[in-house]
Amino acid sequence: MIGAIFRFNYRQLPVRCRAMKRILIVEDEPEIREMIRFSLEPKGYLINEADNAQEARKLLSQHAYDLILMDWMLPGRSGLEFTREIKQKNQKPSPPIIMLTARANESDKVEGLDSGADDYITKPFSPRELAARIKAVIRRSHREEDETSLDFEGLCLDPVQHQVSLHGSPINLSPAEYNLLHFFMSHPDRAYSRSQILDKVWGDNAYVEERTVDVHIRRLRKVLAVSGHDAFIQTVRGVGYRFTPDKLKTSRDNS
Ligand code: CA
């Protein structure tokens, strides 16, 4: 029955359109934030702003970011300390971080990169330079992310082969379900609303209703139920869904 539902071959279908890239600016000077926002928004980036680490933490718990622009000199927790915190806390890949700073000497640069920052831009910088660096860093991080195979207790997704298997047996998924599962597996332990999932998996331009997410989740669970891995996809009441890879068929809070 499952085989009948998932009869088409996703390899022959076009690859998904990527969602808009979301960038978080952590910078205490409003003029610089504004300059960055004005230069990036027309290029199609979604921009969120925080003027200290505390605000940024809140935003980081609400959205998945493609990149963080981090000012070094922040009131309270410095950008350097905050970068370390982000990179250490997440065992899973955290968003790439570009450090923004007026400190221009070599040892500062080394310290910045040692903290886990992926790149470093010295103030003042031109919007053109910033845009070029952002593009390069995001491209690099997606390439790494896209090629890493993900494995949670026998549920394995290999992005290079575009193949999902359960304890070594390949399964067939539709493109939407594959993308949905890829998104969940690369963003575990975080609750996402239906609209966030649509935004991340289907892209901003897609004309898809939020109910569609439920339909695809239901189908995905059905396929994963063969091995009990459906329990990884949990319904979070009042929010949406969360992929929790340590719940192998024991405590389900989904309906
Ligand atoms: Ca500053």
Side-chain angles (χ1 to χ4, degrees):
M1 184 185 160
I2 288 165
I5 297 168
F6 302 102
R7 64 193 175 276
F8 55 99
N9 183 351
Y10 48 79
R11 283 168 204 263
Q12 292 163 355
L13 289 158
V15 287
R16 65 174 162 153
C17 42
R18 270 205 182 282
M20 268 173 106
K21 306 276 186 292
R22 191 188 281 274
I23 295 179
L24 174 62
I25 309 173
V26 191
E27 162 68 72
D28 59 313
E29 285 166 67
E31 304 77 29
I32 297 182
R33 288 203 306 267
E34 191 168 292
M35 184 276 269
I36 295 173
R37 187 156 52 81
F38 282 175
S39 72
L40 294 180
E41 275 178 347
K43 296 188 191 301
Y45 293 104
L46 265 166
I47 306 295
N48 290 149
E49 301 175 28
D51 71 354
N52 55 53
Q54 203 182 344
E55 257 180 55
R57 267 188 219 109
K58 211 182 296 166
L59 288 167
L60 283 164
S61 70
Q62 293 165 350
H63 306 284
Y65 287 93
D66 295 284
L67 182 92
I68 302 172
L69 293 172
M70 178 80 75
D71 179 31
W72 182 312
M73 304 293 274
L74 291 170
R77 180 136 241 213
S78 79
L80 192 72
E81 289 166 336
F82 189 39
T83 298
R84 264 193 215 114
E85 176 191 314
I86 292 171
K87 293 286 179 178
Q88 278 167 5
K89 206 165 74 184
N90 295 356
Q91 300 100 344
K92 53 186 184 268
S94 57
I97 297 176
I98 298 180
M99 195 83 105
L100 307 174
T101 176
R103 295 160 169 260
N105 68 51
E106 194 64 25
S107 65
D108 287 331
K109 186 169 176 171
V110 170
E111 203 184 347
L113 295 173
D114 272 352
S115 72
D118 295 81
D119 202 356
Y120 185 101
I121 300 179
T122 308
K123 291 176 186 174
F125 48 83
S126 72
R128 238 176 108 180
E129 181 192 5
L130 180 70
R133 296 284 195 96
I134 287 174
K135 219 169 147 185
V137 169
I138 290 181
R139 200 190 304 126
R140 200 165 67 212
S141 83
H142 278 153
R143 200 158 48 222
E144 283 164 8
E145 187 182 288
D146 281 351
E147 286 173 3
T148 311
S149 56
L150 303 157
D151 189 347
F152 294 105
E153 305 200 31
L155 168 62
C156 179
L157 185 147
D158 180 344
V160 177
Q161 292 188 39
H162 212 80
Q163 179 69 64
V164 178
S165 59
L166 300 172
H167 300 298
S169 311
I171 53 167
N172 272 335
L173 294 177
S174 74
E177 279 121 41
Y178 174 88
N179 291 339
L180 189 58
L181 184 62
H182 192 188
F183 171 70
F184 276 138
M185 290 178 78
S186 39
H187 301 83
D189 297 319
R190 273 167 81 160
Y192 290 95
S193 68
R194 287 167 183 81
S195 77
Q196 286 173 323
I197 293 171
L198 277 181
D199 183 38
K200 285 284 162 189
V201 178
W202 276 265
D204 266 2
N205 303 321
Y207 256 107
V208 193
E209 287 177 44
E210 295 197 356
R211 281 277 137 208
T212 308
V213 175
D214 300 325
V215 173
H216 286 289
I217 296 262
R218 207 178 309 137
R219 290 191 190 167
L220 190 55
R221 277 177 174 157
K222 212 164 171 179
V223 181
L224 300 181
V226 180
S227 51
H229 288 99
D230 56 319
F232 288 181
I233 301 171
Q234 304 198 308
T235 304
V236 186
R237 295 205 186 282
V239 184
Y241 296 98
R242 180 181 56 219
F243 182 80
T244 308
D246 57 352
K247 303 244 164 145
L248 203 55
K249 217 63 177 176
T250 43
S251 56
R252 295 181 63 163
D253 59 359
N254 51 288
S255 46

